[in-house]
Amino acid sequence: MPLPLAVLISGSGSNLQSILDRIASGAVDARIVLVVSNDPGAYGLTRAAERGIATQVIAHGLFSSRDEYDQALLDAVTAAGARAVVLAGFMRILGPRFVRSFPQRILNIHPALLPSFAGTHGARDAAAYGVKLSGCTVHFVDEEMDHGPVVIQAAVAAEASDTAETLAARILALEHRIYPQAVAWLAAGRLRVEGRKVHLAQARATLAEAPPGAAYLVNPPLEQGF
Ligand code: GAR
């Protein structure tokens, strides 16, 4: 049965779109039962509504504490019947109340190679630092920011001529491939967490099979359909 997912967003929702597209293509065996935004102006709400997906705005400013906000999120997500939660550009930190309710069932994507450049401006900070490689990370969410066990990472070359925008765009293109892949693995029950290590069952390819001369590196390797 497709895994019922709640997706939490704050902005454009291009990662939400990439997951919707891979669900539609049959590559991800999941169903998005609810999209929640903390920002009523988030374009991702429109993307969801266009696909007939239920949406809800839970504006953090209306709550007097993080714990109350967490409870409202939790109520919405559980009422929708979600069995896992996907953070797709959700720019709020989830507190222990929420995180403990979905142990190893919350994924986040971050636009940098964690543990480097955690925080709200991962790609911008990496460009400013002048790194030669950057990328993106999908990880399980724990109680610390941008910290939980890593599911998949993609690395891209960064150039001295890169601006925050050009590097972020290159990274975003890979986010749109690795995030649906990670969700597919979660939905298929192929991820097992042991301490900080995430084991992928039935890994089907090896790094040696990555396209020669590819301008990016993804590990574990992307499978067919991603
Ligand atoms: C993405 O680049 C995502 O990695 C980042 O926000 C963007 C959302 O884009 N998330 C974070 O920085 C979380 N710390 P989207 O709304 O188009 O998916």
Side-chain angles (χ1 to χ4, degrees):
M1 210 186 62
L3 178 68
L5 294 177
V7 181
L8 275 48
I9 62 167
S10 298
S12 157
S14 70
N15 278 289
L16 163 67
Q17 184 75 56
S18 73
I19 294 166
L20 281 167
D21 291 347
R22 298 304 161 108
I23 290 174
S25 77
V28 178
D29 188 18
R31 189 164 55 91
I32 298 180
V33 294
L34 180 67
V35 170
V36 178
S37 174
N38 63 311
D39 179 350
Y43 179 62
L45 291 168
T46 306
R47 297 183 196 262
E50 277 170 1
R51 298 284 182 104
I53 293 167
T55 62
Q56 203 168 328
V57 174
I58 306 180
H60 54 275
L62 300 178
F63 296 84
S64 52
S65 71
R66 185 187 300 281
D67 203 40
E68 274 178 43
Y69 182 66
D70 266 21
Q71 187 61 55
L73 276 181
L74 196 53
D75 289 346
V77 162
T78 47
R83 299 281 320 285
V85 179
V86 170
L87 310 186
F90 184 64
M91 301 311 248
R92 308 290 309 167
I93 294 172
L94 293 172
R97 180 188 289 274
F98 193 99
V99 172
R100 288 177 197 169
S101 301
F102 286 91
Q104 293 164 10
R105 308 291 286 171
I106 309 173
L107 291 176
N108 181 44
I109 188 149
H110 182 73
L113 291 175
L114 291 174
S116 292
F117 308 112
T120 43
H121 302 290
R124 187 189 76 184
D125 294 346
Y129 194 89
V131 294
K132 295 299 183 197
L133 286 169
S134 192
C136 43
T137 304
V138 177
H139 64 93
F140 282 105
V141 171
D142 65 10
E143 292 176 29
E144 289 177 55
M145 187 183 65
D146 296 333
H147 175 267
V150 173
V151 176
I152 183 171
Q153 290 185 304
V156 289
E159 309 297 345
S161 56
D162 265 316
T163 62
E165 290 73 27
T166 58
L167 183 58
R170 205 171 317 121
I171 290 171
L172 191 63
L174 276 170
E175 293 185 39
H176 296 160
R177 299 183 65 191
I178 70 168
Y179 212 4
Q181 172 72 89
V183 174
W185 287 334
L186 181 74
R190 291 174 58 194
L191 301 176
R192 181 174 58 82
V193 182
E194 194 181 38
R196 280 213 54 87
K197 303 288 182 78
V198 179
H199 299 267
L200 172 64
Q202 302 145 27
R204 285 174 196 147
T206 66
L207 265 185
E209 291 165 31
Y216 58 87
L217 179 65
V218 181
N219 194 42
L222 295 165
E223 295 176 352
Q224 201 166 3
F226 299 91

